[in-house]
Amino acid sequence: MKKKYNWPVTILLILGLVTILFPLYITVVIAFKQPSEMGNTLSSILSLPKSWSFSNFAQAMKVTDFWHTLLNSILITGVTVILSVLLHSMAGYAIGRMKKRHKWFNRAYFYIVSGMFVPFAILMMPLVKETADLHIANIVGVIICYLVFFMPINVMLYSGYLTNIPEALEEAAKVDGGSTWSTYWTIIFPIMKPMHATVAILTALSTWNDVMTPLVIMSGSGANTLPLAQLTFQTQFGTNYNLAFASYLLALLPMLIFYIFAQKQILNGVVNGAVK
């Protein structure tokens, strides 16, 4: 008996796979090519390099001061993710549990979530002025801004996830003498592990790839992140695509490793939650 294939779904999957692999192929091919191999025709862009050399990667690392900018990006992303998981989960827990009982928490929830609709362009000039006045026009200021920017979406995710956790767990803990603080850290926080992984991935990807926030705040401080350093490949006279694409691949590796690790945590958390 022949197997029946769902051809519409299969075709959609193939198209989705092509849209992912094709840009990746272009990036890898151009990163390994020499500038002399680049042309204006489609065939010259799609063709494989004559020799697979890592010289573009070495030069890109030198131009971007790779290890220094990588350390800045890891520091900003790492601290932002850790503080987001800790602070935003507590805010989401407090608001999620209390908004049905007190109108104030419900209003606070909508006030925080409404922050998602404020465009960044409106905030640029006030941010530059305030961070300069507070003497935090540096990495610390960027981290504080990210914690504020990501708070609306993270609080909404955490408070929504709490609706799947029965309040009877907390009531049982209180009967055993547990305080709200201890109940949260010993019972609620571990249960929200899948949401922690989701928040960590979304926050890390947004922070790692962001250009505008460090550009407007850290400009002139002497500290660069990887996306900021990669702007040097584009000048008014043209773009060095070979070095730029080599740098993009180097910047992609840390996030790829983090994503693979966090994705595993999501699957484990979902399975554990289903068993419980």
Side-chain angles (χ1 to χ4, degrees):
M1 185 177 177
K2 288 185 179 180
K3 284 186 176 178
K4 291 184 178 179
Y5 290 98
N6 190 337
W7 286 110
V9 174
T10 305
I11 292 171
L12 283 176
L13 289 175
I14 293 173
L15 289 175
L17 187 64
V18 169
T19 55
I20 293 172
L21 291 182
F22 183 71
L24 189 60
Y25 170 78
I26 295 290
T27 305
V28 173
V29 166
I30 293 179
F32 279 94
K33 278 183 178 177
Q34 296 303 312
S36 58
E37 299 177 61
M38 295 292 292
N40 294 325
T41 61
L42 183 62
S43 60
S44 65
I45 295 174
L46 295 178
S47 62
L48 294 173
K50 295 177 181 175
S51 63
W52 295 82
S53 171
F54 288 93
S55 60
N56 289 333
F57 293 90
Q59 195 173 348
M61 291 175 68
K62 185 178 179 182
V63 171
T64 58
D65 191 9
F66 180 74
W67 295 113
H68 186 214
T69 53
L70 176 68
L71 183 63
N72 287 338
S73 290
I74 290 175
L75 177 64
I76 292 174
T77 304
V79 174
T80 301
V81 169
I82 293 171
L83 291 180
S84 294
V85 170
L86 294 176
L87 300 178
H88 296 166
S89 64
M90 285 192 286
Y93 171 68
I95 292 175
R97 281 295 189 238
M98 299 299 292
K99 67 180 181 180
K100 291 182 180 178
R101 301 171 189 169
H102 301 283
K103 290 181 180 179
W104 189 90
F105 283 92
N106 198 33
R107 290 169 184 164
Y109 172 76
F110 285 112
Y111 175 74
I112 293 173
V113 171
S114 65
M116 288 191 293
F117 305 103
V118 179
F120 182 75
I122 297 177
L123 303 173
M124 284 176 59
M125 291 308 295
L127 276 179
V128 173
K129 177 66 176 170
E130 290 177 11
T131 52
D133 290 344
L134 295 172
H135 304 289
I136 54 172
N138 46 35
I139 290 177
V140 175
V142 172
I143 293 172
I144 293 173
C145 288
Y146 282 142
L147 290 175
V148 176
F149 294 159
F150 299 135
M151 189 175 183
I153 181 68
N154 289 346
V155 167
M156 187 180 73
L157 290 173
Y158 276 120
S159 60
Y161 190 78
L162 275 170
T163 58
N164 299 321
I165 301 175
E167 295 187 38
L169 290 174
E170 298 157 64
E171 293 169 359
K174 288 179 182 177
V175 170
D176 292 338
S179 63
T180 303
W181 182 257
S182 63
T183 301
Y184 173 74
W185 288 111
T186 56
I187 296 177
I188 302 301
F189 191 81
I191 291 178
M192 291 198 296
K193 189 177 177 181
M195 187 49 62
H196 295 324
T198 303
V199 166
I201 288 177
L202 294 176
T203 304
L205 289 177
S206 301
T207 306
W208 187 265
N209 295 321
D210 185 41
V211 176
M212 292 306 296
T213 307
L215 179 65
V216 298
I217 293 178
M218 292 167 53
S219 180
S221 67
N224 272 344
T225 60
L226 271 175
L228 279 186
Q230 288 167 346
L231 293 178
T232 58
F233 296 121
Q234 186 170 6
T235 67
Q236 59 178 328
F237 302 108
T239 303
N240 191 329
Y241 290 104
N242 303 98
L243 294 188
F245 279 66
S247 179
Y248 297 155
L249 279 181
L250 289 172
L252 175 67
L253 290 178
M255 274 297 96
L256 192 61
I257 295 170
F258 173 76
Y259 178 78
I260 292 172
F261 173 77
Q263 187 184 41
K264 184 179 178 182
Q265 298 305 310
I266 287 178
L267 293 175
N268 288 340
V270 171
V271 172
N272 290 336
V275 172
K276 289 174 183 178

